[in-house]
Amino acid sequence: MKMNMVIFVQARINSSRLPNKVLTLVNGIPLLGYLISRLAKTNDKTKIVIATSDKLIDDPIEKFCIEQNTTCFRGQLVDVARRMLSAAKHFEASAFVRINGDSPLIDCVLIDYAVDIFQNGDYDLVTNTFPRSFPVGQSVEVIRTSTFEKAYQKMTNPEEFEHVTKYFYDYHDDFKIHN
């Protein structure tokens, strides 16, 4: 049975270091546009969803998604883990790929490779960040939704809600993680 895999891109306007960075224009194209076009090149044409907050400040992201005919999901701003879980449930994803919206140069081959490992193994999480084995901006995580839901129920630290997979790495012995 084929897994329902969805690519979720975490994106928001209110970056503290560079506000509006995901919609910053480079050669007339928003950085998020570059990312979407790269993700569209994944092997199995997995559904791409931009997961942003439900706050007014992120309305421009939703507007951009509509213009690009790209699906947008809106959820919690601060509790990013809940946003990811809500999106996974909404799209009935048995697993999902988590990509940061500020990674416009992500290599779709890495995504395909991680998804292939995940689908052909028995893992809760496939990652190239634990330990980091690729440069910043090339981070890929494939997460089993049912495992993520169980982990979410155990999260207590505010950083775990903001940094979606921190709980997995802090309690790595409790999970089947493949790098």
Side-chain angles (χ1 to χ4, degrees):
M1 182 174 124
K2 185 168 163 83
M3 203 172 255
N4 182 24
M5 182 79 63
V6 179
I7 297 174
F8 292 123
V9 176
Q10 290 177 206
R12 64 189 172 97
I13 294 289
N14 69 339
S15 168
S16 57
R17 291 175 299 197
L18 179 59
N20 200 36
K21 73 178 154 190
V22 297
L23 295 179
T24 296
L25 297 178
V26 175
N27 288 331
I29 299 170
L31 290 178
L32 190 56
Y34 286 104
L35 177 56
I36 291 168
S37 67
R38 284 185 170 273
L39 294 175
K41 295 176 183 173
T42 57
N43 273 343
D44 61 0
K45 304 299 182 222
T46 303
K47 183 170 190 63
I48 300 163
V49 176
I50 308 304
T52 193
S53 89
D54 54 8
K55 301 299 180 200
L56 291 175
I57 192 169
D58 288 318
D59 285 355
I61 292 175
E62 182 176 38
K63 181 178 184 278
F64 176 76
C65 289
I66 291 167
E67 291 167 357
Q68 298 300 306
N69 197 29
T70 299
T71 304
C72 183
F73 179 86
R74 307 229 19 204
Q76 293 279 325
L77 173 64
V78 177
D79 188 347
V80 184
R82 178 177 289 283
R83 186 187 330 156
M84 292 294 105
L85 181 57
S86 297
K89 287 180 170 184
H90 178 82
F91 291 99
E92 299 177 350
S94 45
F96 60 94
V97 179
R98 186 180 82 88
I99 302 293
N100 287 316
D102 59 358
S103 299
L105 301 178
I106 191 81
D107 187 343
C108 65
V109 172
L110 286 177
I111 297 168
D112 290 337
Y113 185 54
V115 167
D116 186 58
I117 290 170
F118 185 88
Q119 290 178 332
N120 290 298
D122 182 26
Y123 304 109
D124 296 314
L125 172 64
V126 172
T127 180
N128 65 359
T129 66
F130 187 75
R132 181 165 291 287
S133 49
F134 283 83
V136 173
Q138 296 297 315
S139 300
V140 177
E141 294 171 314
V142 184
I143 308 160
R144 183 176 312 283
T145 301
S146 60
T147 303
F148 187 76
E149 184 170 19
K150 290 174 190 165
Y152 181 81
Q153 293 168 2
K154 296 177 182 178
M155 292 178 186
T156 58
N157 182 332
E159 287 186 6
E160 294 167 347
F161 297 111
E162 180 182 355
H163 304 286
V164 174
T165 49
K166 182 176 179 9
Y167 184 87
F168 286 86
Y169 303 139
D170 287 348
Y171 300 97
H172 57 88
D173 290 335
D174 296 341
F175 303 100
K176 293 182 229 168
I177 300 175
H178 180 84
N179 185 301

